[in-house]
Amino acid sequence: MESTVPNYPSQIGPLLCGRDQPLLWIAGPCVLESRDSALEIAEELQRVARLLSVQLIFKASFDKANRTSSSSYRGPGLDDGLKILHDIGQTTGLAITTDVHESQQASAAGEVCDLLQIPAFLARQTDLLVAAAHTGKAVNVKKGQFMSPGDMQFVIAKLADAGCENILLCERGTFFGYGRLVNDMRAIPQMQSFGVPVVFDATHSVQEPGGLGGATGGNRAMVEPLARAAMAVGAEGLFTETHPDPDKSPSDGANMIPLCQIESVMRRLVAIRQATAQIE
């Protein structure tokens, strides 16, 4: 298959992600717990998105295949998880995304989701990227914690060669020794130079891998400061995870914004993005 030039702005279902478009906001819980809990979060996020005039994609994982411990909760699995996500999309009308960890999951996820997400640890997995591209859906690839921004041009090429026309890249931190991540905000304009929109993952950027022994820790107090920097430097999208009670979330609770705080946080971040656009 001949290589194609990715679209800019990238189209995700009815949404467009690009510098001159309203902010693309990918948000939801880390992992699906139940249909009712996911719907509660989705409806509150939808209210905030409408209030602030941002474009919302609801996200949640059907399987957290990269948990630190084998005893950790992973989610409802592919079939039950996609049923929940389909129901959320039908009930709310929201665009939907989820992670795919294996090539054989892509086709089924593509039937439900408007955007497929490739986890950071799997950003170099050619077969997974090709399978995601073959669904015809937009694909968001998180830059591996072990990869430079320049490495992501080869990810784009793999997707484009497989026919994917709508590509997003996501900055989510770089390993800084053991159990800690750091963000180099230069990565955002550097990856934008490849002709694709860039999303900033504010919640996974504050992870402390393995920081709780058999689980990943984090510092949610740093989510908004990092997100402010990303908005100021020109990220076209923002990824945030949220939960009504993060400390009771079965996955990544230490990184998540409490649902009751999401409106105020997003209001400040949207204001920064709007101010940056006016300066330009």
Side-chain angles (χ1 to χ4, degrees):
M1 184 177 295
E2 293 186 3
S3 178
T4 59
V5 177
N7 289 331
Y8 187 90
S10 289
Q11 184 156 3
I12 305 100
L15 310 178
L16 289 172
C17 182
R19 182 169 294 273
D20 297 325
Q21 304 297 323
L23 180 67
L24 185 76
W25 184 26
I26 303 172
C30 180
V31 63
L32 288 167
E33 298 173 60
S34 70
R35 184 260 184 195
D36 289 346
S37 65
L39 183 59
E40 174 191 356
I41 296 169
E43 289 179 338
E44 174 60 9
L45 293 173
Q46 186 174 46
R47 182 192 69 80
V48 174
R50 287 172 173 167
L51 183 67
L52 301 180
S53 298
V54 300
Q55 304 180 95
L56 175 63
I57 300 177
F58 178 77
K59 67 80 48 185
S61 297
F62 58 80
D63 178 22
K64 300 300 294 183
N66 58 350
R67 295 303 304 272
T68 303
S69 170
S70 61
S71 63
S72 298
Y73 176 74
R74 289 180 52 165
L78 179 66
D79 293 338
D80 289 344
L82 290 180
K83 287 178 183 178
I84 293 173
L85 291 172
H86 179 265
D87 189 29
I88 298 298
Q90 291 295 304
T91 301
T92 63
L94 291 172
I96 301 293
T97 188
T98 196
D99 304 288
V100 287
H101 294 87
E102 300 175 1
S103 301
Q104 58 266 33
Q105 296 175 341
S107 179
E111 293 179 5
V112 171
C113 298
D114 303 274
L115 174 70
L116 297 183
Q117 182 169 277
I118 307 299
F121 286 139
L122 303 177
R124 289 170 54 102
Q125 295 297 104
T126 302
D127 291 346
L128 179 59
L129 293 168
V130 169
H134 284 173
T135 67
K137 297 301 178 74
V139 179
N140 178 32
V141 185
K142 292 194 173 185
K143 180 176 71 65
Q145 303 93 323
F146 47 89
M147 297 172 69
S148 74
D151 291 338
M152 296 302 287
Q153 64 186 302
F154 304 109
V155 172
I156 294 171
K158 289 179 182 181
L159 288 169
D161 286 345
C164 185
E165 298 179 350
N166 295 288
I167 299 169
L168 292 80
L169 299 181
C170 184
E171 161 62 22
R172 54 92 70 230
T174 300
F175 286 133
F176 191 65
Y178 297 120
R180 187 177 177 188
L181 300 172
V182 66
N183 288 103
D184 180 356
M185 292 297 170
R186 295 176 300 176
I188 293 174
Q190 286 170 352
M191 291 193 292
Q192 287 170 330
S193 73
F194 302 139
V196 299
V198 174
V199 177
F200 180 71
D201 181 347
T203 41
H204 289 100
S205 288
V206 304
Q207 278 186 334
E208 297 173 357
L212 299 178
T216 292
N219 181 3
R220 71 173 67 101
M222 289 293 103
V223 169
E224 185 174 346
L226 290 174
R228 288 186 178 196
M231 293 297 95
V233 85
E236 291 106 333
L238 180 68
F239 179 107
T240 59
E241 289 186 337
T242 185
H243 191 278
D245 189 352
D247 291 333
K248 293 184 179 179
S249 170
S251 177
D252 275 355
N255 315 314
M256 285 199 257
I257 304 170
L259 189 61
C260 64
Q261 298 176 15
I262 202 77
E263 179 183 336
S264 60
V265 171
M266 286 303 297
R267 189 181 295 277
R268 292 187 289 271
L269 296 177
V270 169
I272 292 171
R273 186 172 191 264
Q274 291 173 342
T276 302
Q278 291 172 1
I279 293 171
E280 294 174 352

